[in-house]
Amino acid sequence: QDFNVPAERLVLLNDVVPDRFFASCDAAAMREELGLPKDRTVVLYSGSLLPGKGLGHVLDAIAALHDRRPDLLFVLVGYPVDEVRTQLAARGLADAVRLVGRVPYDDLPRWLAVADIALEPKEEVSGEASGKVLHYLAAGLPVVCFDTVNNRDLLGELGYYARANGPSFAAAILQAADDPAGRQARGRAGREAVHRTHSFAGIRAILHTWYERLRDRAASGG
């Protein structure tokens, strides 16, 4: 509006997820390297281990599923860990959780590669977007999350959605855990979608298309 640029000449370029997050690897070998069992379904959360990030929903879900589903192993990648470790011990949940702590950004793809399900527990009222969902999708992971505007924009029908309460979050985790074929299909579809819109190759293709349009428009005097 300030510079009188027509809207049809504007394009928004998305955040880019580095190529290493899209790379495939031998998940079984990576689990062995990271000391994770091969026979359990790994449910992963990455990010700050703080209440404002929705961690309480994760801990409540772990507690709700602890006795019912010993096949689930929750992996929490992030910090600070002291308070979370204390809570897990007090609630008798330590055996269901691998508390990884802080890892370098370059190492995060290795942890995503060994997961079966990813968690984004922030609610709409957090006022924050869910940037980690892009990384989950790039790694081919199905995502359990709340049904927020941002999550719907990123995931569409690919998410396993919970309502805004703890029991519902646990139920959404169970839905994904009991749907191995479906979650793998959603993971593949999510990876393909985010590769088109948020990878270096995807952004390059968008830029190339727009440069061609501008060139043709300039050549025609438009």
Side-chain angles (χ1 to χ4, degrees):
Q1 290 174 344
D2 291 343
F3 295 97
N4 297 315
V5 179
E8 63 270 15
R9 299 188 67 181
L10 300 176
V11 60
L12 175 65
L13 297 180
N14 295 310
D15 293 335
V16 175
V17 180
D19 288 343
R20 59 184 173 275
F21 284 90
F22 292 94
S24 299
C25 73
D26 186 336
M30 190 66 71
R31 282 199 183 191
E32 184 173 0
E33 179 180 330
L34 296 175
L36 296 174
K38 298 179 181 180
D39 59 346
R40 296 176 75 178
T41 300
V42 173
V43 184
L44 179 140
Y45 167 84
S46 69
S48 300
L49 303 181
L50 297 171
K53 303 296 184 179
L55 186 67
H57 294 299
V58 176
L59 297 181
D60 287 344
I62 294 171
L65 300 174
H66 180 252
D67 293 330
R68 297 166 54 193
R69 295 301 294 264
D71 58 308
L72 302 182
L73 175 66
F74 290 83
V75 174
L76 307 185
V77 181
Y79 68 99
V81 299
D82 291 342
E83 176 62 25
V84 178
R85 183 179 288 112
T86 299
Q87 290 189 51
L88 292 172
R91 300 173 74 171
L93 304 175
D95 61 326
V97 180
R98 171 76 177 271
L99 195 57
V100 177
R102 187 175 189 174
V103 302
Y105 182 67
D106 286 347
D107 285 349
L108 183 57
R110 300 168 68 229
W111 289 98
L112 299 186
V114 299
D116 298 296
I117 300 165
L119 305 179
E120 170 48 292
K122 283 201 297 288
E123 294 185 57
E124 192 85 72
V125 294
S126 73
E128 296 183 1
S130 301
K132 66 167 63 68
V133 170
L134 294 175
H135 296 79
Y136 291 160
L137 291 173
L141 290 174
V143 181
V144 172
C145 59
F146 289 110
D147 195 353
T148 67
V149 172
N150 185 74
N151 288 335
R152 278 284 177 182
D153 285 344
L154 292 176
L155 291 162
E157 297 303 313
L158 298 178
Y160 288 92
Y161 293 109
R163 298 182 302 277
N165 61 66
S168 179
F169 200 73
I173 293 173
L174 278 183
Q175 182 186 1
D178 292 336
D179 182 28
R183 70 171 184 253
Q184 289 169 15
R186 295 190 195 198
R188 287 192 298 270
R191 173 182 271 171
E192 292 171 2
V194 80
H195 191 272
R196 289 193 299 271
T197 56
H198 291 81
S199 68
F200 281 108
I203 296 298
R204 183 167 58 247
I206 293 170
L207 277 173
H208 189 267
T209 297
W210 276 86
Y211 283 144
E212 286 187 331
R213 290 179 184 175
L214 294 172
R215 179 199 62 196
D216 294 344
R217 188 168 296 167
S220 64

